[in-house]
Each structure stands twice: as structure tokens, then as C-alpha cells.
Amino acid sequence: MKICVGLSGGVDSSVAALLLKQQGHEVFGLFMQNWHDASTTLHGDCEWEEDKFVAEMVARRLEIPFYFIDLSKEYHSRVVDYMFKEYAAGRTPNPDVLCNREIKFDAFLAAAEKLGAEMVATGHYCKKDSFTDPATGKEIYRLYAGDDPGKDQSYFLCQLSQEQLSKALFPIGHLMKKEVRALASEAMLQSADKKDSQGLCFVGKVDLPTFLAQALEPAPGDIVEVYDEYYDSCEHYKKVCGILSGLCREGMQPQLVTDYISDDKAVTSGTPSVCPYDEAKISALSDEDLMTISRPLDYSDIVFQKEVYRSGHKHIKKTRYKAHPWGKIIGTHDGAQFYTIGQRKGLNVGGHADSIFVISLDCSSRRIYVGEGHTHKGLSRNALRIAPEEIHWIRTDIAMRFGEIRRYKVRIRYRQPLQDATLLFRENGIFILFDKAQRGITAGQFAAWYNPETAELVGSGVIDR
């Protein structure tokens, strides 16, 4: 079989090519360039050029043909323009998911097929198989998490279609990272000791504010710290708590605040959690209640008023904001669109005992709302919504029907341990109710759901808000 390997210059794609050649396939490498503006990358011009050089050296070592393709126009129109639009709206897109859907397994795949490729292989840590549907005789393709729990990259492929999967190969999905590096060293590949790439797909690590400044103008505004007292008075928050409490089994209470510090320090999902909710009560939820529990707080009811006071020995008149029991303006920023939910770096706000986290963005009022500490109530949510037009099923043959309810394991960002959740399909979309509160649910990111028994990735969707 003639197979194109997307050689990136990294060790993973290099070993993918190595394994396929060892299996007797006719293999060739194809390197794509997605970006030209070096002013926005942290390592300048040399990063992609160095990657291309290493990829070409690997191809030479493996004695396979090597080609280069410039897909920067396609990347800009399909990925970058979408990123600008989403950030401008205060949402946080995932460019790597889009790159796989729109570039690697679309524009790149088309280019590979013109060169004679029957399949395209990448260095993703995930697995694929297929079976024949006895009812239709159609081949059904399945995508699974990779065997290395620390490197599983199936999340980045959550938007692929059956047609795209039919042309995809993932040769290293059954390997551990250390095994991949060992194979590369044994074969004396130039990428064996190369550090893993970071940043945008085939672009490199970028300075995000500089990158976004190409299309988004600075929009300075206030940074507002939200006090814990706010939640005692917020009707929306109290209603959410009431709905969730009413869903619980006898003797159980909902977990409203996350119990972990970060994804890397979270307890893994190896041991199934005990769902606190009664399935019959979940099924009986009205669409209005589902919209309520999945809607984030907007904090627009925290309104500051100015007052006049006299300062200094000359009693000069000045103005200041009156003290507010729910919050305080603690700084300024250059633009809400440059931040994301859960972010703690780059705020430049001091004077706190614990870290400060972004809990809400309001681009219209140019405000960023923050909270102090990992257990701040505004950092946690229990439910989210996927709008009907954003629902995507990899396994279209088992897509949920209206009114159906299912249990899945869900991931809302890369590297997050899979979380136990209940999915409900209603006219307003798919609602995901987690067994435990989730940290930093972010509009624009993708939620991906997996079969809890087999770790098969069956569907995904863009988080609505």
C-alpha cells in the first residue's frame, strides 16, 4: 500500500514512517508549512525551517521520498480566521482540533492523494479499527484513546468524519512514548532526542497576544475580583444549586466545587465515580432547567458607583468607586479577547495570598472577572451545552436520538482525565451533566465523549457558553 506520512520533524511521525516501512508499505514523507509570519512565533523563522530540515533528514535515513507543500493559505482561511472570530467574541477555540479536521485530513490528504497515496499516517497517540455493519454491509471506523495515558491525543481528532477516518492510519497508538524514542534511537533517526513540539499545529509556539493583535485591536478594560459573598446573593447560582440538589439520590449532595488543583494533579478516572444523581430525575428535567444549569454566570449585576472624596491637606476633590460587598476593581487589561477562562498567568495583579483565576469574560463591557484560589466558586461548573448545529458524531450509526439519555466519559480539554457524565439530547442540543464539578469550562473549546467501557471516542461538540 502506498502511504503518505505527515512528517513534522518530530520523533512521533518519524517512528510512524519507520514502522510502516518495516511492514513493507511504499512510504513517502510530506512536510507542510502552515505559517509565514515569523514575528508572531516565539522562536522566529528558524523553527519551521529546522523542523523541515530534520524531517528531510529522517526521510533520507529511511530512504523514502520527501515532499514539501505550502498550505498557509488554507490554514489561514480555515483555522486562523476562525480563531480571530472566536477570540473576538470572548470564546476560546482549539486550533489543533480544527487543523486536523480542516487541514491534515482534508487539504493535506487531498495533496497526498494527488501524489498517489492511498492512506495518510500521522504520529498521533491514538488507535483505529473497523467492522462491517451486518445490517447495512457498510464499513464502520472506530477511534480509540492511545495506550499511553500521558500522551493520548485522540481528543485532537474528535471532529473527524467516517470518511476521513477511512483514509487515516495511526501507527504508534499502541506504544508508550519511551518506546517510540527507543525505536527512533535504535534506527538512528535524527529526531530521536528532539523535544516534543508545542504551540499551533505545524506553526510552533506563538505569543498569543501578538498573534491575535494581527486582527484584534486592544480594548482596555477593568479586572474585577468577585468575592465569595456574591454567590450568597446571586439568584442564578442559588437556582442552579437547588436544581442539582433536587437531582441527587437520597443521602447524597452535588459536588459544586472541584476537588483538584490542575489536570496534571487530578485523580485519574481509573476507578469509576459514584454518580450522585438519580437517572429518573435527570430524565425528568425540563429544557428550561437544563438551560439554567448549563448557563454560566455573567456577573453583570455587579455594578460599581463612584463617589467624591477630599484628599490631602489641601482637600482636593477626587473620585473613587464605592466599596462593594460583592467585588472590587483590582486592575486593568489590554483586551478581554486575549484571555481565557481558568487562566492565571498574565493578569499582573498582586496582593493576594492565593493565585487569581479568570472566571468570566465580557467583551461588550470590556471586563474580566477573576476569583482568588483553586476553590473559588466561579471557577467550577457542573453542566454545559452543545448547540444542535455543533454536535458531531464520529459514530453516526449510534448517534443519540431526541429525548435519549446516556452515560459517557467526557473530556473538555487535552490532557484532562476522562470525567464521568450523563448526556441528554433535547431540542436545544446535547446537555452534559458531570458527576463532579468541572474546572474552567470554556466556551469555544470542544467536549469529546468516550464509551466508558472501551475508551472509544464516539462524538464531540463545541461548548456553547
Side-chain angles (χ1 to χ4, degrees):
M1 183 183 293
K2 190 170 185 179
I3 302 173
C4 169
V5 178
L7 282 181
S8 66
V11 66
D12 299 327
S13 60
S14 300
V15 172
L18 169 68
L19 294 177
L20 290 171
K21 185 175 182 186
Q22 289 176 343
Q23 293 166 14
H25 296 290
E26 183 183 353
V27 180
F28 68 89
L30 181 58
F31 181 95
M32 64 175 169
Q33 182 181 6
N34 284 348
W35 199 248
H36 286 281
D37 186 0
S39 66
T40 59
T41 58
L42 295 183
H43 302 293
D45 243 351
C46 61
E47 187 168 11
W48 78 265
E49 290 182 344
E50 180 184 343
D51 290 341
K52 178 177 176 289
F53 175 75
V54 174
E56 194 167 4
M57 293 292 288
V58 168
R60 192 174 303 170
R61 176 69 184 172
L62 295 174
E63 298 181 337
I64 62 174
F66 178 81
Y67 302 93
F68 169 84
I69 185 170
D70 187 341
L71 293 175
S72 56
K73 288 183 179 178
E74 291 84 351
Y75 188 83
H76 201 291
S77 64
R78 298 194 195 185
V79 179
V80 175
D81 286 348
Y82 177 83
M83 286 177 61
F84 289 150
K85 180 180 177 182
E86 288 289 275
Y87 274 110
R91 294 158 60 90
T92 305
N94 191 308
D96 288 329
V97 173
L98 292 173
C99 181
N100 284 311
R101 185 186 74 190
E102 300 292 331
I103 306 300
K104 279 186 185 175
F105 294 99
D106 193 293
F108 182 86
L109 171 61
E113 289 180 324
K114 287 182 180 179
L115 292 170
E118 300 169 68
M119 305 281 282
V120 165
T122 66
H124 285 101
Y125 286 84
C126 60
K127 298 186 297 184
K128 164 197 156 182
D129 71 7
S130 67
F131 70 94
T132 301
D133 187 338
T136 64
K138 185 178 179 181
E139 192 82 2
I140 303 295
Y141 297 91
R142 297 182 289 201
L143 179 65
Y144 299 89
D147 286 350
D148 188 335
K151 292 299 295 182
D152 169 38
Q153 294 173 311
S154 58
Y155 175 81
F156 291 134
L157 304 170
C158 68
Q159 286 279 293
L160 295 192
S161 66
Q162 282 289 303
E163 183 179 358
Q164 289 173 312
L165 272 179
S166 73
K167 301 291 182 69
L169 290 175
F170 310 110
I172 67 169
H174 63 291
L175 299 174
M176 302 291 112
K177 182 72 178 192
K178 61 181 181 181
E179 294 176 306
V180 170
R181 288 207 179 275
L183 287 170
S185 295
E186 185 180 341
M188 293 185 290
L189 300 181
Q190 290 82 352
S191 58
D193 297 320
K194 195 168 182 289
K195 290 183 179 180
D196 290 344
S197 61
Q198 294 182 327
L200 302 183
C201 178
F202 274 77
V203 173
K205 197 163 186 177
V206 301
D207 178 70
L208 189 58
T210 302
F211 185 81
L212 295 177
Q214 298 173 94
L216 306 181
E217 293 290 334
D222 295 326
I223 299 175
V224 178
E225 180 179 358
V226 180
Y227 298 152
D228 197 57
E229 287 77 7
Y230 171 79
Y231 301 92
D232 296 330
S233 303
C234 177
E235 292 302 319
H236 180 192
Y237 186 78
K238 289 190 289 185
K239 189 172 183 179
V240 169
C241 294
I243 293 171
L244 295 177
S245 296
L247 296 176
C248 287
R249 305 173 192 271
E250 187 175 350
M252 301 191 74
Q253 291 294 323
Q255 184 197 60
L256 300 173
V257 177
T258 55
D259 58 1
Y260 59 89
I261 294 177
S262 68
D263 288 342
D264 292 338
K265 296 179 182 179
V267 178
T268 61
S269 57
T271 303
S273 64
V274 177
C275 179
Y277 305 117
D278 184 292
E279 186 171 314
K281 293 179 179 179
I282 295 176
S283 297
L285 277 171
S286 68
D287 287 356
E288 182 182 354
D289 283 345
L290 284 169
M291 291 295 284
T292 296
I293 63 174
S294 64
R295 186 174 70 247
L297 302 177
D298 62 16
Y299 302 100
S300 59
D301 50 348
I302 302 179
V303 179
F304 297 96
Q305 296 181 341
K306 290 184 177 181
E307 64 180 358
V308 178
Y309 70 103
R310 295 184 179 275
S311 175
H313 65 278
K314 293 185 178 180
H315 301 291
I316 299 173
K317 285 186 177 181
K318 294 184 177 181
T319 60
R320 64 186 175 192
Y321 286 109
K322 292 181 180 180
H324 199 295
W326 293 347
K328 180 181 180 181
I329 297 175
I330 59 172
T332 58
H333 60 82
D334 291 330
Q337 68 269 30
F338 300 138
Y339 295 84
T340 187
I341 304 299
Q343 180 175 337
R344 67 180 178 87
K345 295 182 179 180
L347 289 168
N348 298 318
V349 174
H352 293 78
D354 207 343
S355 299
I356 295 293
F357 296 89
V358 176
I359 60 173
S360 182
L361 302 173
D362 189 342
C363 290
S364 60
S365 69
R366 298 184 177 183
R367 276 187 172 173
I368 292 176
Y369 296 93
V370 301
E372 181 178 5
H374 297 279
T375 58
H376 190 276
K377 292 177 181 177
L379 201 55
S380 298
R381 285 172 56 192
N382 294 73
L384 60 85
R385 181 178 83 106
I386 309 293
E389 65 274 13
E390 296 291 355
I391 299 170
H392 172 75
W393 289 95
I394 295 176
R395 286 290 303 278
T396 53
D397 57 310
I398 59 171
M400 291 176 70
R401 300 181 300 274
F402 284 117
E404 192 174 0
I405 179 172
R406 287 186 194 170
R407 290 283 291 172
Y408 280 115
K409 285 188 177 292
V410 179
R411 175 174 285 142
I412 58 174
R413 54 184 165 267
Y414 175 53
R415 290 193 181 279
Q416 183 199 30
L418 291 171
Q419 306 292 307
D420 294 295
T422 301
L423 272 66
L424 302 89
F425 194 9
R426 299 288 180 86
E427 285 191 17
N428 290 327
I430 284 181
F431 294 88
I432 301 178
L433 174 62
F434 293 96
D435 289 4
K436 296 182 177 180
Q438 298 299 302
R439 176 187 179 139
I441 292 177
T442 307
Q445 289 283 290
F446 290 88
W449 44 93
Y450 295 70
N451 183 310
E453 304 298 328
T454 64
E456 179 191 358
L457 174 52
V458 297
S460 68
V462 179
I463 299 172
D464 177 57
R465 52 189 177 175

